[in-house]
Amino acid sequence: MKARLLALLPFALAIAVYLVASHLRLAENPQDKILPGLGQMGEAVQRMAFAPDPQSGDYVLWKDTWASLKRIGIGVGTAAVLALLAGLNMGLRPWLKTVFGDFLTFLSMVPPLAILPILFISLGVDELAKVTLIFLGVFPVMARDMLLTVEKVPREQVTKAITLGASRWDVIYRIVMPQVIPRLVDNVRLALGAAWLFLIAAEAIAATEGLGYRIFLVRRYLSMDVILPYVAWIVVLGFVFDWSLRTFIKRWYGWYLVTK
Amino acid sequence: MKDKSSADAALHIEDLYKSYGPKLVLENVDLSTSPGTFCSVVGPSGCGKSTLFRMVLGEETPTRGLIHIEGERVTGPGTDRGIVYQRYSLYPHLTVLDNVALGRNLRTPLRERLRDRKVIRDEAMTYLKRVGLDQHAAKYPHELSGGMQQRVAIAQALITQPRLLMMDEPFGALDPETRESMQLFILELWEEYRMTIFFVTHDMEEAVYLGNRVLVLSQHYIDDRGPGVQRGSRFVADYELPSAVQSTKVKNSPAFLELVQEIRRVGFSPDQLRHVAEFNLRHPDSFQTLTGDERRS
């Protein structure tokens, strides 16, 4: 309990420093927008999340959240599934690794943001380009890690499975896959940070909704009262995902935490 | 030394060679085993025991020579062999019960598997009971001690009733007391099921205590090719022993200790070399094919 309280200390300190600085600035100029107080931010949240937008009638924060999560979900989800399949098949079918191994390494060296213009030009400015950016940003690293994980499964286990009657397909999907899934979930946890980066970059450049889009939109009006709650909201979302994935592993893959 | 046809033998190896690049590991290995034999293979470390094991398993291909199991040529790992390794025999993501049931589950098509779930479960439970671990059915392998894990691994291999049970230093990682109780346990199982066992170990006492046939694999021998020739390991001795299960006390009897000493002399000491024509191969199943170079008449 004491440790918990100590862990909260830096948070409390940061908030306190901000509030003092904000208070001092507002005391000097009540119109100041750079360091809004809690009241101003509360009003902004009320306006963005709990009241319909006067023009479109949307609840903007929820609409932005839904749009962003959909992009991240599809991008990271597709990357995870394909990374799993790529890792399993390249790890257990040597000829596939021979063919695609170097290409995968090459792909992982390409800085995704550098090819963002290419994506916008070739895929249009709609959802596909944004999702593709997230996918390209997280897939190669995940796939390479899954490959290494699959290769680390002792060869003895594969031979043993065959003597127990396993087919090639059984070995891949019934013996090895269940063993590497928790590692895949760990990979998703790590990839989410990068995914947010690519999402916000893509949304900042071309979008009509989304958390990143909103932040870059209101920046023009120096609306720190909107930006700060949005950033906090992104942090909360990230934390919730990480926590749920960790809990998922703990609940279903207890052996993984002990033996890894 | 009679010539046995390979079809009758549980395991038949003839003129087997294995080299890695320029290094010759196994040379002209011959072996034939009657069904139901507990064959223990012993030899100094680095003699190629594990290489031989992996070739019988089908994980590696011989450079030359053939291996047959009940007349069928070995071309890869197959369901006629059951394996127990020193480690890695159990799947960490499956419960103890599911580990044992795996051999059944993998061989049953999905629809039947769903229908017969309870039957398979009960069968796995029977085997688990036989190895004395039915109380631990719901645990995961990492929750068991080393000895218990090996018991589960044995049950896992036995459920498919393999024609040949292969074990590579299965008790090598256990403490001496557990090791001894596991030795007694595997002998009991052997007496019950009478399967052919191919048991590889570097421990001479273990080999002599367990096997009713002890084969010594070694690179320490000479032949007519003279000095300076690179020689691979082969069986330098082959003993027939009583097959009754004896208490572990027999390990202190003079006859037992003498045999261990003899194995040490013929297999483990580089300065007392025997000629290929003078190997002790008096086991009734034993045979040896020598090339003209090795034995000039």
Side-chain angles (χ1 to χ4, degrees), chain A residues 1-257:
Chain A
M1 203 57 221
K2 227 175 207 164
R4 277 277 169 83
L5 285 174
L6 276 177
L8 286 176
L9 198 65
F11 291 94
L13 214 64
I15 293 172
V17 167
Y18 176 84
L19 288 180
V20 169
S22 159
H23 181 79
L24 291 176
R25 267 189 92 100
L26 289 172
E28 213 168 278
N29 171 15
Q31 300 304 313
D32 180 71
K33 300 187 84 173
I34 305 301
L35 296 181
L38 286 180
Q40 287 159 287
M41 285 195 266
E43 263 169 48
V45 170
Q46 165 69 28
R47 194 169 70 240
M48 305 300 286
F50 303 111
D53 184 73
Q55 274 160 31
S56 60
D58 293 326
Y59 290 78
V60 177
L61 176 71
W62 307 117
K63 202 179 116 189
D64 287 341
T65 306
W66 174 240
S68 289
L69 289 188
K70 208 162 61 184
R71 288 164 191 151
I72 279 213
I74 297 173
V76 175
T78 320
V81 171
L82 291 184
L84 176 65
L85 293 176
L88 282 171
N89 285 285
M90 284 168 67
L92 295 165
R93 298 180 202 267
W95 67 271
L96 276 172
K97 191 187 170 191
T98 312
V99 176
F100 292 109
D102 288 343
F103 183 70
L104 187 62
T105 311
F106 167 82
L107 208 62
S108 67
M109 303 293 170
V110 176
L113 285 176
I115 56 165
L116 183 56
I118 305 179
L119 295 179
F120 277 137
I121 292 167
S122 55
L123 301 175
V125 291
D126 287 336
E127 296 304 298
L128 187 58
K130 299 180 195 68
V131 169
T132 308
L133 178 73
I134 295 172
F135 174 85
L136 286 177
V138 300
F139 169 77
V141 180
M142 277 174 130
R144 289 179 77 190
D145 188 75
M146 289 320 288
L147 175 59
L148 290 177
T149 308
V150 169
E151 283 177 335
K152 251 192 280 173
V153 172
R155 186 173 64 151
E156 285 91 340
Q157 283 200 4
V158 174
T159 307
K160 171 122 195 185
I162 295 171
T163 66
L164 290 174
S167 63
R168 194 87 217 142
W169 199 88
D170 288 332
V171 167
I172 297 180
Y173 297 103
R174 287 170 71 183
I175 300 294
V176 178
M177 190 170 86
Q179 293 189 51
V180 300
I181 285 207
R183 177 76 190 187
L184 180 73
V185 176
D186 264 351
N187 262 308
V188 168
R189 287 173 60 193
L190 293 173
L192 277 173
W196 278 105
L197 167 72
F198 299 124
L199 173 80
I200 291 171
E203 286 181 343
I205 292 173
T208 52
E209 54 181 1
L211 296 168
Y213 160 75
R214 196 69 54 198
I215 288 174
F216 277 77
L217 181 76
V218 301
R219 172 190 62 122
R220 295 178 206 160
Y221 317 110
L222 291 180
S223 295
M224 291 292 271
D225 55 338
V226 173
I227 294 177
L228 287 174
Y230 260 65
V231 172
W233 177 232
I234 291 174
V235 171
V236 168
L237 289 175
F239 185 81
V240 167
F241 289 141
D242 193 69
W243 179 83
S244 340
L245 292 172
R246 212 171 54 215
T247 311
F248 172 81
I249 293 181
K250 222 188 252 170
R251 170 73 184 78
W252 296 104
Y253 293 93
W255 57 267
Y256 170 74
L257 296 174

Side-chain angles (χ1 to χ4, degrees), chain A residues 154-167 170 174-176 178-179 252-256 258-259, chain B residues 54 57 59 77-79 81 83 85 88-93 102-103 105-107 113 140 142 153 156-157 160:
Chain A
R155 186 173 64 151
E156 285 91 340
Q157 283 200 4
V158 174
T159 307
K160 171 122 195 185
I162 295 171
T163 66
L164 290 174
S167 63
D170 288 332
R174 287 170 71 183
I175 300 294
V176 178
Q179 293 189 51
W252 296 104
Y253 293 93
W255 57 267
Y256 170 74
V258 186
T259 52
Chain B
R54 283 199 298 274
L57 207 53
E59 265 186 347
T79 51
R81 280 146 288 168
I83 321 171
Y85 294 109
Y88 305 127
S89 286
L90 299 179
Y91 298 96
H93 65 292
L102 188 65
N105 278 327
L106 284 170
R107 286 170 200 221
R113 199 161 73 232
Y140 283 86
H142 72 262
Q156 181 188 44
T160 58

